[in-house]
Amino acid sequence: MVKRSVFTSYALLGSGKVAHHFKVYLKHLNLPFTAWSRNGDPEFNFGAGKILPSRDQRVRLIATVQNASHILLAVSDPALTELAVRLPSERRLVHFSGSASVPGVACAHPLMTFGSTQPSAGWCREIPFVTDHGVEFSEILPGFPNPSFSIRPAQRPLYHALCALAGNSTFLLWQKIAEEFRDGLELPAEILAPFLHQVVANALSPDARSLATGPVARGDWAAVRAHLESLDSNPSLAAAYRGFLNQSAYAGIKVPETLL
């Protein structure tokens, strides 16, 4: 168990998906905290055991952070700097952005995509955090038992670009494929789940190859042409398939130029 000072108390700022998940997680960990949001939502504006009235947001902010040792900024990147300068400099300030760098604010990016479902304690505990080199995770998030890793601040743009590709690009593609399963094939999209989980496992395997199976790996270009023809009526998936062929070519597979 991670030890924490008896004086540790958090103030959670924000009301989006990240703030919602951290509110639930702080409760799971039995860590004392207050909460604040610009919009005055009672669900995210409370402290000292009571709901803060929806009045001037500056008054609510002062009341929220006055007894906190650590202030968590779960807000959008554009709001980080403007909000940080309004906070007591003697407190430990922490933001959750994967790419932003804010003077005087430590970064602890949760390597996770957050949805609308209620997170479980076990799920929250497995989320890895990525901090900057030289920052002690136990000092910026005392009481959190999560694994943590660090990178150089100069590596953050690359790190965040990779996260965006892994999360958003893959999400959009798999979402489109699921839609085609339902509407084009009249198959339940849920049957894709075991297959997609295994794709992730294969991709993260230490001995993973660029492609282990399929017509591209075998050089069956007639099958590939048939694939492209079947996608003529779906431009987004056709473009994704050609992007896949280009990635295969970058990986060293001799894809015919007529298919690229």
Side-chain angles (χ1 to χ4, degrees):
M1 178 179 291
V2 177
K3 294 183 179 180
R4 65 179 179 88
S5 166
V6 294
F7 301 108
T8 298
S9 180
Y10 287 99
L12 176 63
L13 312 185
S15 58
K17 289 181 180 179
V18 174
H20 169 76
H21 279 71
F22 271 87
K23 186 184 73 162
V24 174
Y25 192 26
L26 286 164
K27 289 180 179 178
H28 283 320
L29 295 175
N30 199 30
L31 293 170
F33 74 101
T34 55
W36 172 91
S37 71
R38 292 180 187 273
N39 59 23
D41 182 350
E43 185 180 354
F44 290 95
N45 286 273
F46 55 82
K50 61 182 181 180
I51 302 296
L52 298 176
S54 295
R55 51 186 176 182
D56 188 320
Q57 63 170 262
R58 292 170 297 178
V59 175
R60 286 189 282 104
L61 182 60
I62 293 171
T64 302
V65 305
Q66 62 182 350
N67 295 318
S69 60
H70 292 67
I71 303 175
L72 309 180
L73 285 75
V75 298
S76 65
D77 286 12
L80 280 173
T81 301
E82 181 271 332
L83 183 56
V85 298
R86 299 166 56 187
L87 300 172
S89 59
E90 71 274 11
R91 312 295 169 81
R92 174 68 81 171
L93 308 182
V94 185
H95 73 73
F96 301 128
S97 169
S99 59
S101 179
V102 183
V105 186
C107 174
H109 181 248
L111 185 51
M112 180 53 63
T113 180
F114 297 101
S116 57
T117 57
Q118 185 86 346
S120 67
W123 182 85
C124 290
R125 288 171 179 267
E126 293 179 359
I127 298 174
F129 283 80
V130 178
T131 66
D132 289 329
H133 279 331
V135 174
E136 289 292 334
F137 182 73
S138 61
E139 292 182 3
I140 60 175
L141 289 177
F144 280 66
N146 301 67
S148 64
F149 305 86
S150 64
I151 58 176
R152 298 189 303 275
Q155 294 176 306
R156 288 213 164 269
L158 172 59
Y159 164 76
H160 203 237
L162 296 176
C163 290
L165 277 174
N168 299 312
S169 178
T170 306
F171 173 82
L172 290 173
L173 176 60
W174 286 2
Q175 185 183 54
K176 191 66 178 177
I177 291 171
E179 179 183 303
E180 195 65 22
F181 257 61
R182 285 190 297 264
D183 301 337
L185 300 174
E186 296 183 353
L187 291 172
E190 293 76 15
I191 67 173
L192 280 163
F195 170 67
L196 298 181
H197 280 293
Q198 190 58 47
V199 170
V200 173
N202 290 350
L204 298 179
S205 172
D207 58 351
R209 295 164 54 191
S210 58
L211 286 174
T213 186
V216 175
R218 297 191 301 269
D220 186 351
W221 307 119
V224 171
R225 288 187 180 90
H227 290 176
L228 289 170
E229 289 175 7
S230 74
L231 296 172
D232 277 344
S233 61
N234 197 319
S236 64
L237 285 180
Y241 197 103
R242 292 190 184 279
F244 153 60
L245 292 176
N246 275 282
Q247 287 298 315
S248 299
Y250 278 120
I253 296 175
K254 296 181 179 180
V255 180
E257 290 187 10
T258 56
L259 296 175
L260 297 175

